Amino acid sequence: MDDKELVARVRAGDAQAERALYDQHVDRVYRLAYRMTGDDDLARDFTQETFIRVFDRIDQFRGAAALSTWLRSVAVTVVLNGLRKVKRFRRREVALEAAEPTGGNPHPTQPDLREKLERAIEALPVKYRMVFVMHDVEGYTHEEIGAAMGVQVGTSKAQLSRARARLRESLAEFAGEWAS
Amino acid sequence: MTEERFQQFLRDAAQDYNRPPEAPREEIWRAIQAIRRERRERPRPQWLHRVLAAPSVRWGVGIAAALVIGIGVGRLSMRGDVAGEAGAVAENGGAAGAEAAFQWVTAQHLGQVETLLTGFRVDARLGRPVAQSGGAARELLSTTRLLLDSPVSEDQALRSLLEDVELVLAQIALFSSRRAPEELEIIDRSIEQRSVLLRLHSAVGAQPSLTGVQGVL
């Protein structure tokens, strides 16, 4: 069944077509959500919300782009909006914790490369992180990323370049790992 | 050359970043079906009919404006101008204004509860400090009680959700003062057994955004 027929059947309320659409795309949506959140519950929530929106708004899909492109743009929007909510919550938490000393270890051990890389990726602005994860980790092209994020291909490339530059700076102490 | 090596190194090293497990397809599908079913079956709130049918909607507008401005929705990470916008919606719109303001206040509140509970569960699971959530829970608890005493609560489904939210928020507020680890499990169980996050998700998704409301007005 091609995209056109699948969409037509979903619009007509065909439950089997809905499930077929879900099966075709759920793995990539969940993977991206998990990569961006690192949390199974959040990844599930974002995946659910993506498909609920897709089914609710299937009439808005005009077929100008591939179904996967449209669906990916919905997923990216859901993940970015969801992460903003989580970030807002965390900011409140951090502000409150800063007011009260927690008694944590003031001399944490030196993180290894993997930990440092994780922290550096986490510290990227969320849109840079999305581009980095999509391109360097999940293997999307800049064209796909641009379409999903609603930006030009050049913007996607520029954001990836800045993301890499920041990561390189953060990982400077491990330069021997790639320079040799 | 060094740049190319760095990029290759980065791509290889980043493969372990938040490496996803296999997608729990069936569980996610069941949750999607449950949320969609609930949204489809959700009746139009009775309180809206009553407010709209009232001889004078000024009462409703007054309550809505008081809720919007007085409850302090804006205290919780909202931009300063938004409460003013909602107040203007309530003041200018008559029946539609009352409806819009009630919807807006309820949606904002439920959205904030959803954010708190989501963050609380994630942090609890990851072993991050969660005790400070108590302050936010107490603030949201006050608003929940005000909403339970307002016409909003005449919608039975919403009332039931607000009552469950009240219980969970109270547990989180208590946890912050007692800090008993076993209570985390109780809170988690309350959220799970009552499907609080699922229902919040559904309720928030069913409410129009302020922008949409303004568009209508």
mmCIF file with all atom_site columns, all heavy atoms in Angstrom, chain B residues 131-156:
data_model
loop_
_atom_site.group_PDB
_atom_site.id
_atom_site.type_symbol
_atom_site.label_atom_id
_atom_site.label_alt_id
_atom_site.label_comp_id
_atom_site.label_asym_id
_atom_site.label_entity_id
_atom_site.label_seq_id
_atom_site.pdbx_PDB_ins_code
_atom_site.Cartn_x
_atom_site.Cartn_y
_atom_site.Cartn_z
_atom_site.occupancy
_atom_site.B_iso_or_equiv
_atom_site.pdbx_formal_charge
_atom_site.auth_seq_id
_atom_site.auth_comp_id
_atom_site.auth_asym_id
_atom_site.auth_atom_id
_atom_site.pdbx_PDB_model_num
ATOM 1   N N   . ALA B 1 131 ? 12.952  16.692 46.273 1.00 0.00 ? 131 ALA B N   1
ATOM 2   C CA  . ALA B 1 131 ? 12.260  17.258 47.427 1.00 0.00 ? 131 ALA B CA  1
ATOM 3   C C   . ALA B 1 131 ? 11.748  18.666 47.150 1.00 0.00 ? 131 ALA B C   1
ATOM 4   O O   . ALA B 1 131 ? 10.712  19.077 47.669 1.00 0.00 ? 131 ALA B O   1
ATOM 5   C CB  . ALA B 1 131 ? 13.195  17.265 48.626 1.00 0.00 ? 131 ALA B CB  1
ATOM 6   N N   . GLN B 1 132 ? 12.449  19.402 46.304 1.00 0.00 ? 132 GLN B N   1
ATOM 7   C CA  . GLN B 1 132 ? 12.042  20.787 46.060 1.00 0.00 ? 132 GLN B CA  1
ATOM 8   C C   . GLN B 1 132 ? 10.763  20.891 45.244 1.00 0.00 ? 132 GLN B C   1
ATOM 9   O O   . GLN B 1 132 ? 10.193  21.973 45.122 1.00 0.00 ? 132 GLN B O   1
ATOM 10  C CB  . GLN B 1 132 ? 13.165  21.537 45.339 1.00 0.00 ? 132 GLN B CB  1
ATOM 11  C CG  . GLN B 1 132 ? 14.471  21.599 46.095 1.00 0.00 ? 132 GLN B CG  1
ATOM 12  C CD  . GLN B 1 132 ? 14.376  22.414 47.371 1.00 0.00 ? 132 GLN B CD  1
ATOM 13  O OE1 . GLN B 1 132 ? 13.373  23.076 47.616 1.00 0.00 ? 132 GLN B OE1 1
ATOM 14  N NE2 . GLN B 1 132 ? 15.396  22.340 48.196 1.00 0.00 ? 132 GLN B NE2 1
ATOM 15  N N   . SER B 1 133 ? 10.311  19.790 44.697 1.00 0.00 ? 133 SER B N   1
ATOM 16  C CA  . SER B 1 133 ? 9.041   19.820 43.970 1.00 0.00 ? 133 SER B CA  1
ATOM 17  C C   . SER B 1 133 ? 7.894   20.170 44.895 1.00 0.00 ? 133 SER B C   1
ATOM 18  O O   . SER B 1 133 ? 6.812   20.545 44.443 1.00 0.00 ? 133 SER B O   1
ATOM 19  C CB  . SER B 1 133 ? 8.747   18.462 43.342 1.00 0.00 ? 133 SER B CB  1
ATOM 20  O OG  . SER B 1 133 ? 9.783   18.088 42.491 1.00 0.00 ? 133 SER B OG  1
ATOM 21  N N   . GLY B 1 134 ? 8.128   20.024 46.189 1.00 0.00 ? 134 GLY B N   1
ATOM 22  C CA  . GLY B 1 134 ? 7.071   20.287 47.167 1.00 0.00 ? 134 GLY B CA  1
ATOM 23  C C   . GLY B 1 134 ? 6.520   21.689 47.062 1.00 0.00 ? 134 GLY B C   1
ATOM 24  O O   . GLY B 1 134 ? 5.294   21.891 47.155 1.00 0.00 ? 134 GLY B O   1
ATOM 25  N N   . GLY B 1 135 ? 7.389   22.672 46.872 1.00 0.00 ? 135 GLY B N   1
ATOM 26  C CA  . GLY B 1 135 ? 6.942   24.069 46.773 1.00 0.00 ? 135 GLY B CA  1
ATOM 27  C C   . GLY B 1 135 ? 6.007   24.246 45.597 1.00 0.00 ? 135 GLY B C   1
ATOM 28  O O   . GLY B 1 135 ? 4.919   24.829 45.728 1.00 0.00 ? 135 GLY B O   1
ATOM 29  N N   . ALA B 1 136 ? 6.430   23.700 44.451 1.00 0.00 ? 136 ALA B N   1
ATOM 30  C CA  . ALA B 1 136 ? 5.595   23.821 43.247 1.00 0.00 ? 136 ALA B CA  1
ATOM 31  C C   . ALA B 1 136 ? 4.285   23.074 43.458 1.00 0.00 ? 136 ALA B C   1
ATOM 32  O O   . ALA B 1 136 ? 3.208   23.534 43.064 1.00 0.00 ? 136 ALA B O   1
ATOM 33  C CB  . ALA B 1 136 ? 6.342   23.256 42.050 1.00 0.00 ? 136 ALA B CB  1
ATOM 34  N N   . ALA B 1 137 ? 4.361   21.905 44.110 1.00 0.00 ? 137 ALA B N   1
ATOM 35  C CA  . ALA B 1 137 ? 3.144   21.113 44.350 1.00 0.00 ? 137 ALA B CA  1
ATOM 36  C C   . ALA B 1 137 ? 2.168   21.883 45.233 1.00 0.00 ? 137 ALA B C   1
ATOM 37  O O   . ALA B 1 137 ? 0.958   21.874 45.004 1.00 0.00 ? 137 ALA B O   1
ATOM 38  C CB  . ALA B 1 137 ? 3.505   19.777 44.989 1.00 0.00 ? 137 ALA B CB  1
ATOM 39  N N   . ARG B 1 138 ? 2.698   22.559 46.242 1.00 0.00 ? 138 ARG B N   1
ATOM 40  C CA  . ARG B 1 138 ? 1.812   23.319 47.139 1.00 0.00 ? 138 ARG B CA  1
ATOM 41  C C   . ARG B 1 138 ? 1.111   24.456 46.391 1.00 0.00 ? 138 ARG B C   1
ATOM 42  O O   . ARG B 1 138 ? -0.072  24.698 46.582 1.00 0.00 ? 138 ARG B O   1
ATOM 43  C CB  . ARG B 1 138 ? 2.604   23.859 48.331 1.00 0.00 ? 138 ARG B CB  1
ATOM 44  C CG  . ARG B 1 138 ? 2.692   22.847 49.477 1.00 0.00 ? 138 ARG B CG  1
ATOM 45  C CD  . ARG B 1 138 ? 3.321   23.456 50.706 1.00 0.00 ? 138 ARG B CD  1
ATOM 46  N NE  . ARG B 1 138 ? 4.746   23.651 50.537 1.00 0.00 ? 138 ARG B NE  1
ATOM 47  C CZ  . ARG B 1 138 ? 5.676   22.713 50.730 1.00 0.00 ? 138 ARG B CZ  1
ATOM 48  N NH1 . ARG B 1 138 ? 5.326   21.520 51.135 1.00 0.00 ? 138 ARG B NH1 1
ATOM 49  N NH2 . ARG B 1 138 ? 6.959   22.972 50.552 1.00 0.00 ? 138 ARG B NH2 1
ATOM 50  N N   . GLU B 1 139 ? 1.864   25.132 45.524 1.00 0.00 ? 139 GLU B N   1
ATOM 51  C CA  . GLU B 1 139 ? 1.245   26.220 44.747 1.00 0.00 ? 139 GLU B CA  1
ATOM 52  C C   . GLU B 1 139 ? 0.132   25.671 43.857 1.00 0.00 ? 139 GLU B C   1
ATOM 53  O O   . GLU B 1 139 ? -0.964  26.222 43.779 1.00 0.00 ? 139 GLU B O   1
ATOM 54  C CB  . GLU B 1 139 ? 2.298   26.904 43.868 1.00 0.00 ? 139 GLU B CB  1
ATOM 55  C CG  . GLU B 1 139 ? 3.260   27.784 44.643 1.00 0.00 ? 139 GLU B CG  1
ATOM 56  C CD  . GLU B 1 139 ? 4.271   28.456 43.713 1.00 0.00 ? 139 GLU B CD  1
ATOM 57  O OE1 . GLU B 1 139 ? 3.870   28.901 42.628 1.00 0.00 ? 139 GLU B OE1 1
ATOM 58  O OE2 . GLU B 1 139 ? 5.448   28.519 44.090 1.00 0.00 ? 139 GLU B OE2 1
ATOM 59  N N   . LEU B 1 140 ? 0.440   24.567 43.185 1.00 0.00 ? 140 LEU B N   1
ATOM 60  C CA  . LEU B 1 140 ? -0.556  23.986 42.281 1.00 0.00 ? 140 LEU B CA  1
ATOM 61  C C   . LEU B 1 140 ? -1.742  23.410 43.053 1.00 0.00 ? 140 LEU B C   1
ATOM 62  O O   . LEU B 1 140 ? -2.867  23.387 42.566 1.00 0.00 ? 140 LEU B O   1
ATOM 63  C CB  . LEU B 1 140 ? 0.099   22.899 41.414 1.00 0.00 ? 140 LEU B CB  1
ATOM 64  C CG  . LEU B 1 140 ? 1.109   23.420 40.389 1.00 0.00 ? 140 LEU B CG  1
ATOM 65  C CD1 . LEU B 1 140 ? 1.884   22.286 39.743 1.00 0.00 ? 140 LEU B CD1 1
ATOM 66  C CD2 . LEU B 1 140 ? 0.401   24.228 39.305 1.00 0.00 ? 140 LEU B CD2 1
ATOM 67  N N   . LEU B 1 141 ? -1.463  22.953 44.261 1.00 0.00 ? 141 LEU B N   1
ATOM 68  C CA  . LEU B 1 141 ? -2.530  22.409 45.105 1.00 0.00 ? 141 LEU B CA  1
ATOM 69  C C   . LEU B 1 141 ? -3.568  23.502 45.402 1.00 0.00 ? 141 LEU B C   1
ATOM 70  O O   . LEU B 1 141 ? -4.778  23.251 45.344 1.00 0.00 ? 141 LEU B O   1
ATOM 71  C CB  . LEU B 1 141 ? -1.901  21.900 46.406 1.00 0.00 ? 141 LEU B CB  1
ATOM 72  C CG  . LEU B 1 141 ? -2.692  20.931 47.279 1.00 0.00 ? 141 LEU B CG  1
ATOM 73  C CD1 . LEU B 1 141 ? -3.215  19.756 46.481 1.00 0.00 ? 141 LEU B CD1 1
ATOM 74  C CD2 . LEU B 1 141 ? -1.808  20.427 48.414 1.00 0.00 ? 141 LEU B CD2 1
ATOM 75  N N   . SER B 1 142 ? -3.096  24.699 45.697 1.00 0.00 ? 142 SER B N   1
ATOM 76  C CA  . SER B 1 142 ? -4.026  25.805 45.991 1.00 0.00 ? 142 SER B CA  1
ATOM 77  C C   . SER B 1 142 ? -4.928  26.065 44.790 1.00 0.00 ? 142 SER B C   1
ATOM 78  O O   . SER B 1 142 ? -6.152  26.195 44.924 1.00 0.00 ? 142 SER B O   1
ATOM 79  C CB  . SER B 1 142 ? -3.261  27.103 46.289 1.00 0.00 ? 142 SER B CB  1
ATOM 80  O OG  . SER B 1 142 ? -2.295  26.872 47.255 1.00 0.00 ? 142 SER B OG  1
ATOM 81  N N   . THR B 1 143 ? -4.320  26.109 43.618 1.00 0.00 ? 143 THR B N   1
ATOM 82  C CA  . THR B 1 143 ? -5.114  26.365 42.408 1.00 0.00 ? 143 THR B CA  1
ATOM 83  C C   . THR B 1 143 ? -6.089  25.224 42.153 1.00 0.00 ? 143 THR B C   1
ATOM 84  O O   . THR B 1 143 ? -7.238  25.444 41.762 1.00 0.00 ? 143 THR B O   1
ATOM 85  C CB  . THR B 1 143 ? -4.177  26.536 41.188 1.00 0.00 ? 143 THR B CB  1
ATOM 86  O OG1 . THR B 1 143 ? -3.161  27.470 41.533 1.00 0.00 ? 143 THR B OG1 1
ATOM 87  C CG2 . THR B 1 143 ? -4.932  27.042 39.985 1.00 0.00 ? 143 THR B CG2 1
ATOM 88  N N   . THR B 1 144 ? -5.628  24.004 42.399 1.00 0.00 ? 144 THR B N   1
ATOM 89  C CA  . THR B 1 144 ? -6.512  22.843 42.198 1.00 0.00 ? 144 THR B CA  1
ATOM 90  C C   . THR B 1 144 ? -7.739  22.967 43.084 1.00 0.00 ? 144 THR B C   1
ATOM 91  O O   . THR B 1 144 ? -8.876  22.720 42.655 1.00 0.00 ? 144 THR B O   1
ATOM 92  C CB  . THR B 1 144 ? -5.765  21.533 42.538 1.00 0.00 ? 144 THR B CB  1
ATOM 93  O OG1 . THR B 1 144 ? -4.563  21.484 41.791 1.00 0.00 ? 144 THR B OG1 1
ATOM 94  C CG2 . THR B 1 144 ? -6.603  20.314 42.226 1.00 0.00 ? 144 THR B CG2 1
ATOM 95  N N   . ARG B 1 145 ? -7.527  23.365 44.335 1.00 0.00 ? 145 ARG B N   1
ATOM 96  C CA  . ARG B 1 145 ? -8.669  23.487 45.258 1.00 0.00 ? 145 ARG B CA  1
ATOM 97  C C   . ARG B 1 145 ? -9.624  24.581 44.802 1.00 0.00 ? 145 ARG B C   1
ATOM 98  O O   . ARG B 1 145 ? -10.839 24.446 44.906 1.00 0.00 ? 145 ARG B O   1
ATOM 99  C CB  . ARG B 1 145 ? -8.158  23.751 46.667 1.00 0.00 ? 145 ARG B CB  1
ATOM 100 C CG  . ARG B 1 145 ? -7.628  22.463 47.277 1.00 0.00 ? 145 ARG B CG  1
ATOM 101 C CD  . ARG B 1 145 ? -7.065  22.647 48.650 1.00 0.00 ? 145 ARG B CD  1
ATOM 102 N NE  . ARG B 1 145 ? -6.527  21.379 49.122 1.00 0.00 ? 145 ARG B NE  1
ATOM 103 C CZ  . ARG B 1 145 ? -5.525  21.258 49.969 1.00 0.00 ? 145 ARG B CZ  1
ATOM 104 N NH1 . ARG B 1 145 ? -4.928  22.336 50.447 1.00 0.00 ? 145 ARG B NH1 1
ATOM 105 N NH2 . ARG B 1 145 ? -5.103  20.073 50.347 1.00 0.00 ? 145 ARG B NH2 1
ATOM 106 N N   . LEU B 1 146 ? -9.052  25.702 44.327 1.00 0.00 ? 146 LEU B N   1
ATOM 107 C CA  . LEU B 1 146 ? -9.919  26.782 43.830 1.00 0.00 ? 146 LEU B CA  1
ATOM 108 C C   . LEU B 1 146 ? -10.743 26.305 42.633 1.00 0.00 ? 146 LEU B C   1
ATOM 109 O O   . LEU B 1 146 ? -11.936 26.585 42.531 1.00 0.00 ? 146 LEU B O   1
ATOM 110 C CB  . LEU B 1 146 ? -9.067  27.989 43.424 1.00 0.00 ? 146 LEU B CB  1
ATOM 111 C CG  . LEU B 1 146 ? -8.600  28.868 44.584 1.00 0.00 ? 146 LEU B CG  1
ATOM 112 C CD1 . LEU B 1 146 ? -7.539  29.849 44.110 1.00 0.00 ? 146 LEU B CD1 1
ATOM 113 C CD2 . LEU B 1 146 ? -9.770  29.623 45.187 1.00 0.00 ? 146 LEU B CD2 1
ATOM 114 N N   . LEU B 1 147 ? -10.111 25.560 41.761 1.00 0.00 ? 147 LEU B N   1
ATOM 115 C CA  . LEU B 1 147 ? -10.848 25.056 40.594 1.00 0.00 ? 147 LEU B CA  1
ATOM 116 C C   . LEU B 1 147 ? -11.923 24.052 41.017 1.00 0.00 ? 147 LEU B C   1
ATOM 117 O O   . LEU B 1 147 ? -12.999 24.005 40.435 1.00 0.00 ? 147 LEU B O   1
ATOM 118 C CB  . LEU B 1 147 ? -9.881  24.412 39.590 1.00 0.00 ? 147 LEU B CB  1
ATOM 119 C CG  . LEU B 1 147 ? -9.028  25.393 38.775 1.00 0.00 ? 147 LEU B CG  1
ATOM 120 C CD1 . LEU B 1 147 ? -7.971  24.645 37.961 1.00 0.00 ? 147 LEU B CD1 1
ATOM 121 C CD2 . LEU B 1 147 ? -9.889  26.229 37.833 1.00 0.00 ? 147 LEU B CD2 1
ATOM 122 N N   . LEU B 1 148 ? -11.606 23.260 42.051 1.00 0.00 ? 148 LEU B N   1
ATOM 123 C CA  . LEU B 1 148 ? -12.613 22.302 42.537 1.00 0.00 ? 148 LEU B CA  1
ATOM 124 C C   . LEU B 1 148 ? -13.832 23.019 43.121 1.00 0.00 ? 148 LEU B C   1
ATOM 125 O O   . LEU B 1 148 ? -14.933 22.478 43.132 1.00 0.00 ? 148 LEU B O   1
ATOM 126 C CB  . LEU B 1 148 ? -11.995 21.374 43.594 1.00 0.00 ? 148 LEU B CB  1
ATOM 127 C CG  . LEU B 1 148 ? -11.236 20.167 43.034 1.00 0.00 ? 148 LEU B CG  1
ATOM 128 C CD1 . LEU B 1 148 ? -10.389 19.508 44.114 1.00 0.00 ? 148 LEU B CD1 1
ATOM 129 C CD2 . LEU B 1 148 ? -12.203 19.156 42.434 1.00 0.00 ? 148 LEU B CD2 1
ATOM 130 N N   . ASP B 1 149 ? -13.617 24.233 43.608 1.00 0.00 ? 149 ASP B N   1
ATOM 131 C CA  . ASP B 1 149 ? -14.736 25.000 44.160 1.00 0.00 ? 149 ASP B CA  1
ATOM 132 C C   . ASP B 1 149 ? -15.404 25.891 43.111 1.00 0.00 ? 149 ASP B C   1
ATOM 133 O O   . ASP B 1 149 ? -16.308 26.652 43.427 1.00 0.00 ? 149 ASP B O   1
ATOM 134 C CB  . ASP B 1 149 ? -14.222 25.904 45.310 1.00 0.00 ? 149 ASP B CB  1
ATOM 135 C CG  . ASP B 1 149 ? -13.865 25.071 46.530 1.00 0.00 ? 149 ASP B CG  1
ATOM 136 O OD1 . ASP B 1 149 ? -14.410 23.958 46.646 1.00 0.00 ? 149 ASP B OD1 1
ATOM 137 O OD2 . ASP B 1 149 ? -13.035 25.511 47.330 1.00 0.00 ? 149 ASP B OD2 1
ATOM 138 N N   . SER B 1 150 ? -14.939 25.842 41.888 1.00 0.00 ? 150 SER B N   1
ATOM 139 C CA  . SER B 1 150 ? -15.476 26.717 40.836 1.00 0.00 ? 150 SER B CA  1
ATOM 140 C C   . SER B 1 150 ? -16.452 25.925 39.957 1.00 0.00 ? 150 SER B C   1
ATOM 141 O O   . SER B 1 150 ? -16.574 24.704 40.091 1.00 0.00 ? 150 SER B O   1
ATOM 142 C CB  . SER B 1 150 ? -14.328 27.246 39.983 1.00 0.00 ? 150 SER B CB  1
ATOM 143 O OG  . SER B 1 150 ? -13.920 26.244 39.080 1.00 0.00 ? 150 SER B OG  1
ATOM 144 N N   . PRO B 1 151 ? -17.132 26.599 39.042 1.00 0.00 ? 151 PRO B N   1
ATOM 145 C CA  . PRO B 1 151 ? -18.056 25.875 38.140 1.00 0.00 ? 151 PRO B CA  1
ATOM 146 C C   . PRO B 1 151 ? -17.371 24.827 37.278 1.00 0.00 ? 151 PRO B C   1
ATOM 147 O O   . PRO B 1 151 ? -18.026 23.928 36.767 1.00 0.00 ? 151 PRO B O   1
ATOM 148 C CB  . PRO B 1 151 ? -18.616 27.003 37.257 1.00 0.00 ? 151 PRO B CB  1
ATOM 149 C CG  . PRO B 1 151 ? -18.434 28.253 38.044 1.00 0.00 ? 151 PRO B CG  1
ATOM 150 C CD  . PRO B 1 151 ? -17.198 28.064 38.845 1.00 0.00 ? 151 PRO B CD  1
ATOM 151 N N   . VAL B 1 152 ? -16.079 24.921 37.142 1.00 0.00 ? 152 VAL B N   1
ATOM 152 C CA  . VAL B 1 152 ? -15.342 23.925 36.366 1.00 0.00 ? 152 VAL B CA  1
ATOM 153 C C   . VAL B 1 152 ? -15.639 22.521 36.865 1.00 0.00 ? 152 VAL B C   1
ATOM 154 O O   . VAL B 1 152 ? -15.762 21.576 36.094 1.00 0.00 ? 152 VAL B O   1
ATOM 155 C CB  . VAL B 1 152 ? -13.818 24.209 36.486 1.00 0.00 ? 152 VAL B CB  1
ATOM 156 C CG1 . VAL B 1 152 ? -12.993 23.039 35.991 1.00 0.00 ? 152 VAL B CG1 1
ATOM 157 C CG2 . VAL B 1 152 ? -13.457 25.471 35.723 1.00 0.00 ? 152 VAL B CG2 1
ATOM 158 N N   . SER B 1 153 ? -15.782 22.412 38.196 1.00 0.00 ? 153 SER B N   1
ATOM 159 C CA  . SER B 1 153 ? -15.903 21.081 38.791 1.00 0.00 ? 153 SER B CA  1
ATOM 160 C C   . SER B 1 153 ? -17.262 20.442 38.535 1.00 0.00 ? 153 SER B C   1
ATOM 161 O O   . SER B 1 153 ? -17.497 19.312 38.920 1.00 0.00 ? 153 SER B O   1
ATOM 162 C CB  . SER B 1 153 ? -15.644 21.160 40.294 1.00 0.00 ? 153 SER B CB  1
ATOM 163 O OG  . SER B 1 153 ? -16.671 21.905 40.896 1.00 0.00 ? 153 SER B OG  1
ATOM 164 N N   . GLU B 1 154 ? -18.176 21.166 37.887 1.00 0.00 ? 154 GLU B N   1
ATOM 165 C CA  . GLU B 1 154 ? -19.465 20.547 37.562 1.00 0.00 ? 154 GLU B CA  1
ATOM 166 C C   . GLU B 1 154 ? -19.317 19.525 36.432 1.00 0.00 ? 154 GLU B C   1
ATOM 167 O O   . GLU B 1 154 ? -20.192 18.691 36.222 1.00 0.00 ? 154 GLU B O   1
ATOM 168 C CB  . GLU B 1 154 ? -20.483 21.634 37.179 1.00 0.00 ? 154 GLU B CB  1
ATOM 169 C CG  . GLU B 1 154 ? -20.916 22.443 38.395 1.00 0.00 ? 154 GLU B CG  1
ATOM 170 C CD  . GLU B 1 154 ? -21.831 23.584 38.015 1.00 0.00 ? 154 GLU B CD  1
ATOM 171 O OE1 . GLU B 1 154 ? -22.490 23.497 36.977 1.00 0.00 ? 154 GLU B OE1 1
ATOM 172 O OE2 . GLU B 1 154 ? -21.867 24.568 38.772 1.00 0.00 ? 154 GLU B OE2 1
ATOM 173 N N   . ASP B 1 155 ? -18.246 19.622 35.715 1.00 0.00 ? 155 ASP B N   1
ATOM 174 C CA  . ASP B 1 155 ? -17.930 18.581 34.727 1.00 0.00 ? 155 ASP B CA  1
ATOM 175 C C   . ASP B 1 155 ? -17.329 17.408 35.511 1.00 0.00 ? 155 ASP B C   1
ATOM 176 O O   . ASP B 1 155 ? -16.243 17.521 36.069 1.00 0.00 ? 155 ASP B O   1
ATOM 177 C CB  . ASP B 1 155 ? -16.932 19.151 33.708 1.00 0.00 ? 155 ASP B CB  1
ATOM 178 C CG  . ASP B 1 155 ? -16.395 18.076 32.766 1.00 0.00 ? 155 ASP B CG  1
ATOM 179 O OD1 . ASP B 1 155 ? -16.915 16.949 32.791 1.00 0.00 ? 155 ASP B OD1 1
ATOM 180 O OD2 . ASP B 1 155 ? -15.448 18.383 32.027 1.00 0.00 ? 155 ASP B OD2 1
ATOM 181 N N   . GLN B 1 156 ? -18.079 16.299 35.545 1.00 0.00 ? 156 GLN B N   1
ATOM 182 C CA  . GLN B 1 156 ? -17.694 15.185 36.418 1.00 0.00 ? 156 GLN B CA  1
ATOM 183 C C   . GLN B 1 156 ? -16.312 14.609 36.071 1.00 0.00 ? 156 GLN B C   1
ATOM 184 O O   . GLN B 1 156 ? -15.535 14.278 36.965 1.00 0.00 ? 156 GLN B O   1
ATOM 185 C CB  . GLN B 1 156 ? -18.743 14.076 36.366 1.00 0.00 ? 156 GLN B CB  1
ATOM 186 C CG  . GLN B 1 156 ? -20.026 14.423 37.116 1.00 0.00 ? 156 GLN B CG  1
ATOM 187 C CD  . GLN B 1 156 ? -19.770 14.871 38.554 1.00 0.00 ? 156 GLN B CD  1
ATOM 188 O OE1 . GLN B 1 156 ? -19.051 14.217 39.301 1.00 0.00 ? 156 GLN B OE1 1
ATOM 189 N NE2 . GLN B 1 156 ? -20.348 16.010 38.954 1.00 0.00 ? 156 GLN B NE2 1
#
